[in-house]
Amino acid sequence: MELKDEMNNLIKVSFYAYISLLYCFFVGKIIPKGVPRLLTILPVVIFFLSIPLFLTSVHSIGAISFYISWLANFKLLLFAFEKGPLSSPSIPLFRFFAMACFPIDVTQSSNGFSKPKNFSTKSVISYGTKGLLLTFLLRVYHNHHEVMNPMLAWCFFGFSVYLMLELLVALSSAIVGLFLRVELDPQFDKPYLATSLQDFWGRRWNVMVNRILHPTVYDPMLKLSVRVVGRLWAPVPAILTTFAVSGLMHELIFFYFTRAWPTGEVMLFFCLHGVCLVMEVVIKKAIRVKWNLPRQVTSPLVVSFVLATSYWLFLPELLRCNMIERAFEEYGMVSELAMDVVRTPPVFLKFKE
């Protein structure tokens, strides 16, 4: 992969996405909501699913597949039925693009736009510490993972992925906030403090995805299930369907990385967690007793369960992607490019010579 070629492809992909969203914006003004609008924007949805195939960088694929193929597509599906953040009748074109492409916190103001918060000294220190910890974990994993205990190597790798995602989203939020005057939804809320699977998946891990899956998958399935099994047990099929859709989207993202047919392990991981979360909900509803174990007991149990099942079902797919190795290769390319820029004398000095 040449860095220049990848940048050209990324610019082309961004331009195509811009044109596609421009089309969807005017479709919303002309085509009535419901099935007619859905059929009209369906080609854009299909195109957005194919966009990551034009890219090869793990960073480009990760960002585009998450923000465009997943979040933007699900927002467009809501938009087809006049729901979600894109359905405000007074939303201008520029804000339509921003709301579609980025997980903007729509509760900030009536139109989803307000002055973003400044990073406090505490936040800067926190992110700086996490950056140093990420550097340490990546270096140790990269140099010693072949001789490390497999479970220990997975812990290093898993926490590295978590820190990398949190820092990348924080950086994206700062950049988007600077140019668009908005604030992105948080990606994580201290998942290592989760006291249950409900707490982990519903409020702490990948908050952006949770907020888009809720209106697109969970709520419609919940309404349908109420008619079939009643209000008490309606959350059960809604939870299972939501986890199945999340598993399907993760399988698709891994396909973008590997360009190989999915193994089904990632899908099994999310279905397993969906079943376990359903069991947790059913037990709570059955015993109807409000009692809680101390956080010092529940949090390690939840984190251990997530890590153990990830090691079993998620790690093989991550290793198949060679994500860490490809990321280091791309960092090396960027570093070489930066050094070339530093070594190249400015144009006016060449003229003097």
Side-chain angles (χ1 to χ4, degrees), residues 71-107:
L71 296 187
N73 259 350
F74 277 48
K75 289 177 184 178
L76 288 177
L77 293 176
L78 289 173
F79 174 65
F81 297 93
E82 206 67 41
K83 296 180 180 180
L86 304 180
S87 300
S88 173
S90 60
I91 184 171
L93 180 60
F94 174 73
R95 292 180 177 177
F96 183 89
F97 291 147
M99 297 288 286
C101 295
F102 301 104
I104 294 169
D105 184 0
V106 297
T107 63

Side-chain angles (χ1 to χ4, degrees), residues 263-279:
T263 62
E265 291 172 308
V266 174
M267 186 70 173
L268 180 58
F269 170 83
F270 282 96
C271 289
L272 173 64
H273 276 257
V275 170
C276 291
L277 200 152
V278 163
M279 291 173 61

Side-chain angles (χ1 to χ4, degrees), residues 281-293:
V281 171
V282 169
I283 290 172
K284 288 180 179 178
K285 287 181 179 291
I287 61 177
R288 296 182 181 181
V289 177
K290 291 186 177 180
W291 58 275
N292 293 308
L293 292 171

Side-chain angles (χ1 to χ4, degrees), residues 9-43:
N9 290 337
L10 188 59
I11 292 172
K12 290 178 183 178
V13 161
S14 302
F15 177 73
Y16 296 151
Y18 174 85
I19 296 299
S20 301
L21 290 172
L22 180 66
Y23 163 79
C24 292
F25 177 80
F26 287 107
V27 161
K29 303 293 184 183
I30 302 171
I31 307 299
K33 66 179 181 180
V35 176
R37 188 185 297 181
L38 175 63
L39 294 176
T40 308
I41 67 173
L42 194 58

Side-chain angles (χ1 to χ4, degrees), residues 65-322:
S65 62
F66 181 66
Y67 287 126
I68 301 297
S69 301
W70 191 340
L71 296 187
N73 259 350
F74 277 48
K75 289 177 184 178
L76 288 177
L77 293 176
L78 289 173
F79 174 65
F81 297 93
E82 206 67 41
K83 296 180 180 180
L86 304 180
S87 300
S88 173
S90 60
I91 184 171
L93 180 60
F94 174 73
R95 292 180 177 177
F96 183 89
F97 291 147
M99 297 288 286
C101 295
F102 301 104
I104 294 169
D105 184 0
V106 297
T107 63
Q108 295 175 67
S109 64
S110 59
N111 58 14
F113 286 74
S114 64
K115 184 177 180 180
K117 299 177 183 178
N118 294 322
F119 281 102
S120 64
T121 304
K122 185 178 179 181
S123 297
V124 172
I125 294 174
S126 174
Y127 286 123
T129 303
K130 290 176 180 178
L132 292 174
L133 181 59
L134 173 62
T135 303
F136 169 75
L137 291 174
L138 285 175
R139 182 58 60 184
V140 172
Y141 178 84
H142 184 65
N143 293 334
H144 306 289
H145 70 278
E146 293 181 356
V147 297
M148 292 173 67
N149 177 277
M151 192 63 186
L152 180 61
W154 167 236
C155 290
F156 271 79
F157 184 80
F159 281 110
S160 297
V161 171
Y162 158 63
L163 290 171
M164 187 183 299
L165 289 173
E166 184 168 13
L167 290 172
L168 286 175
V169 171
L171 179 62
S172 301
S173 183
I175 294 173
V176 172
L178 178 64
F179 287 101
L180 302 182
R181 312 302 295 169
V182 297
E183 190 174 358
L184 299 187
D185 281 335
Q187 176 77 348
F188 303 103
D189 183 15
K190 300 176 181 177
Y192 45 84
L193 297 180
T195 57
S196 65
L197 286 177
Q198 277 184 288
D199 188 30
F200 181 86
W201 290 111
R203 290 179 287 273
R204 294 187 179 276
W205 183 264
N206 219 341
V207 179
M208 296 178 183
V209 169
N210 179 57
R211 290 184 179 178
I212 198 65
L213 283 176
H214 211 279
T216 53
V217 181
Y218 182 84
D219 288 345
M221 193 62 193
L222 184 67
K223 292 178 182 178
L224 179 64
S225 301
V226 167
R227 303 175 186 174
V228 179
V229 297
R231 187 170 298 276
L232 181 62
W233 299 109
V236 171
I239 291 171
L240 293 175
T241 305
T242 303
F243 271 87
V245 171
S246 180
L248 182 63
M249 293 306 299
H250 278 84
E251 289 280 18
L252 183 61
I253 290 175
F254 278 115
F255 172 76
Y256 294 143
F257 283 123
T258 62
R259 311 294 159 91
W261 193 254
T263 62
E265 291 172 308
V266 174
M267 186 70 173
L268 180 58
F269 170 83
F270 282 96
C271 289
L272 173 64
H273 276 257
V275 170
C276 291
L277 200 152
V278 163
M279 291 173 61
E280 189 177 279
V281 171
V282 169
I283 290 172
K284 288 180 179 178
K285 287 181 179 291
I287 61 177
R288 296 182 181 181
V289 177
K290 291 186 177 180
W291 58 275
N292 293 308
L293 292 171
R295 182 186 294 274
Q296 293 80 359
V297 175
T298 55
S299 292
L301 289 175
V302 172
V303 172
S304 298
F305 177 75
V306 172
L307 283 175
T309 52
S310 300
Y311 176 76
W312 171 34
L313 296 170
F314 220 89
L315 176 61
E317 200 67 21
L318 285 170
L319 293 178
R320 197 160 68 111
C321 294
N322 295 320

